[in-house]
Amino acid sequence: MHKIFSYNKQNLQTIDQLNFDELQNENKVWIDIENPTSKEISWIQDTFNIDDNIFKQYLAGSKKSQIRILEKYTFTSIVNVKFKNLQTLTTQPIYMLLGENWLITVHSSEINIKEKIHQMFDNDKTIAESSIKILYYNILTKIIENYEQLLTAIEIALTDFEERSLYNYSIEVLRKLKDLSHQLIMLRRYFWKVREIFSFLIYQEQEIEAKENMKYLKILYNNVDELVHLIESYKDTINSIRELYIANVSLQMNDTVKTLTIFSAILLPLTFITSFYGMNGIDLNNFSNLPFGMILVSMTMVIILSILILFFRKKQWILRKKEIPTNSYENKANSKNGT
């Protein structure tokens, strides 16, 4: 399905058929095609002498952002990205063919360009008064705004993960962070390609000394460049959330070990007493008459305990001396000297 719009300084109107007179006078023509049929593709190719390879790329499902300067028009392909979930990014290409006073946009029906452009014409009358390039740049602007909304959704998801990492110690959090990290890598690749397109357009406008258009393009270039830097910051945020998650898991493990140690410390002396007095050869009714074997076992236990305590003290695991900082001596000396 296609729509043909003709506009000038006075109005924007929809026309049923394109007359070549529309391309000769002051009117600018914008043709928007959704899910093009083979008949519509043939009509566009014959009317505007479009290269066959361009529509072959579209029909093949190519989603590569690119720009090409041909003899009578400029071909631009840019990817519109939507954040479906943590595992899936929905990508749809938008093909744009820019001529001297005409513009053709080709895309799927999932992308609604007409409504946004009509709002732009209502809100900004300078679009109708300017060249067809301004409409082309404004469509690119709307795509960049979709990128910004996409990163806003990712930022909200990161905030949610940061809160969940404080209370939810499921491995599912790490898995979702990994998926989100992969999505950011894909987005960075898309944004890099779009930034290259704007860089090329700036260079082209510099060649023809179109200063007004160049200012407009530099703003778009800076916006995409900021989005690339935002992705880098989001990757750092993901790493910080991972570290926070691991730290919280370690704290929970330390609390668990602490609890088990307390129970062990309580039960250990009770276990020692029951095992010691439960040994064969001890008569609790005649405790003063201990057998020689019992005395030998007790002495062996004391010797082993002493050796372990000396060994642990040498390793400075227990009975560790506190080190006094050298500054304390200097402070005492200064206080005695009155300095």
Side-chain angles (χ1 to χ4, degrees):
M1 182 181 69
H2 70 273
K3 289 287 184 180
I4 304 175
F5 303 94
S6 176
Y7 68 93
N8 51 34
K9 296 180 180 180
Q10 284 74 32
N11 61 359
L12 170 69
Q13 59 180 347
T14 304
I15 58 178
D16 296 330
Q17 291 183 351
L18 177 65
N19 298 320
F20 283 98
D21 293 338
E22 297 286 345
L23 300 176
Q24 303 297 329
N25 57 25
E26 62 178 2
N27 285 6
K28 275 85 68 175
V29 174
W30 168 41
I31 303 174
D32 184 64
I33 307 176
E34 295 181 357
N35 298 330
T37 62
S38 57
K39 183 178 180 181
E40 289 173 328
I41 291 175
S42 299
W43 173 71
I44 291 294
Q45 287 177 333
D46 295 339
T47 305
F48 296 94
N49 194 20
I50 304 300
D51 187 3
D52 293 343
N53 293 326
I54 291 177
F55 284 102
K56 285 181 180 180
Q57 291 182 41
Y58 181 84
L59 296 175
S62 175
K63 298 180 180 180
K64 179 182 178 181
S65 297
Q66 57 181 312
I67 185 168
R68 289 165 53 192
I69 306 297
L70 301 173
E71 183 178 356
K72 295 183 179 180
Y73 60 91
T74 300
F75 164 64
T76 308
S77 171
I78 190 168
V79 179
N80 185 66
V81 188
K82 289 185 179 181
F83 184 69
K84 187 175 182 180
N85 51 49
L86 293 177
Q87 292 79 26
T88 308
L89 284 176
T90 303
T91 56
Q92 294 290 344
I94 301 176
Y95 281 33
M96 290 183 282
L97 303 165
L98 176 66
E100 183 177 356
N101 59 346
W102 52 269
L103 174 66
I104 302 173
T105 54
V106 183
H107 55 87
S108 70
S109 57
E110 298 178 8
I111 303 174
N112 187 2
I113 294 180
K114 296 190 294 291
E115 182 178 349
K116 294 181 179 180
I117 298 303
H118 277 285
Q119 292 177 356
M120 288 167 51
F121 274 103
D122 294 336
N123 299 330
D124 189 359
K125 300 299 182 181
T126 60
I127 298 176
E129 299 173 358
S130 304
S131 66
I132 194 69
K133 280 187 177 181
I134 299 302
L135 176 61
Y136 168 69
Y137 296 154
N138 275 278
I139 293 176
L140 293 176
T141 301
K142 291 301 178 182
I143 297 173
I144 302 304
E145 289 178 358
N146 290 340
Y147 290 167
E148 294 174 352
Q149 295 174 1
L150 172 65
L151 290 188
T152 301
I154 292 178
E155 186 174 358
I156 294 173
L158 284 175
T159 303
D160 180 60
F161 284 139
E162 190 172 9
E163 293 177 355
R164 290 171 60 184
S165 63
L166 295 173
Y167 309 104
N168 185 7
Y169 304 115
S170 172
I171 197 66
E172 186 72 12
V173 174
L174 290 179
R175 187 185 65 81
K176 290 183 177 180
L177 285 175
K178 180 182 177 182
D179 293 338
L180 189 57
S181 180
H182 289 167
Q183 302 289 27
L184 289 176
I185 292 174
M186 297 298 298
L187 284 176
R188 182 174 58 182
R189 184 179 302 172
Y190 289 134
F191 293 171
W192 275 346
K193 292 293 184 181
V194 175
R195 187 171 61 179
E196 290 176 359
I197 290 176
F198 288 125
S199 178
F200 180 84
L201 289 173
I202 290 173
Y203 176 78
Q204 184 187 24
E205 296 296 339
Q206 285 177 341
E207 290 292 320
I208 60 176
E209 297 183 353
K211 294 182 179 180
E212 293 299 325
N213 292 345
M214 193 166 62
K215 291 180 181 178
Y216 199 90
L217 287 171
K218 284 184 176 180
I219 293 174
L220 293 176
Y221 178 87
N222 291 334
N223 289 341
V224 177
D225 192 56
E226 289 178 1
L227 295 180
V228 174
H229 290 304
L230 272 177
I231 288 181
E232 297 296 335
S233 66
Y234 289 162
K235 289 178 66 67
D236 294 337
T237 302
I238 288 178
N239 292 332
S240 299
I241 294 175
R242 284 198 187 105
E243 292 175 359
L244 179 62
Y245 174 85
I246 294 172
N248 288 329
V249 170
S250 298
L251 288 174
Q252 185 188 35
M253 187 177 298
N254 290 339
D255 291 338
T256 303
V257 172
K258 180 180 178 181
T259 303
L260 294 176
T261 303
I262 291 173
F263 278 105
S264 299
I266 295 172
L267 296 176
L268 184 60
L270 301 177
T271 305
F272 173 75
I273 293 173
T274 55
S275 61
F276 185 83
Y277 287 102
M279 293 170 56
N280 294 330
I282 297 180
D283 186 4
L284 296 178
N285 294 324
N286 188 14
F287 195 72
S288 58
N289 188 15
L290 291 175
F292 176 76
M294 185 63 200
I295 297 174
L296 183 61
V297 169
S298 300
M299 292 177 62
T300 304
M301 292 171 63
V302 171
I303 292 171
I304 293 174
L305 179 61
S306 301
I307 293 173
L308 289 175
I309 290 175
L310 291 175
F311 176 76
F312 293 155
R313 187 174 184 277
K314 184 177 180 181
K315 291 290 186 180
Q316 295 186 352
W317 293 348
I318 60 174
L319 302 176
R320 187 174 176 179
K321 293 182 179 180
K322 293 183 179 181
E323 296 181 359
I324 302 176
T326 56
N327 292 335
S328 62
Y329 293 107
E330 295 176 359
N331 294 334
K332 289 180 180 179
N334 292 335
S335 61
K336 289 181 179 180
N337 294 331
T339 58

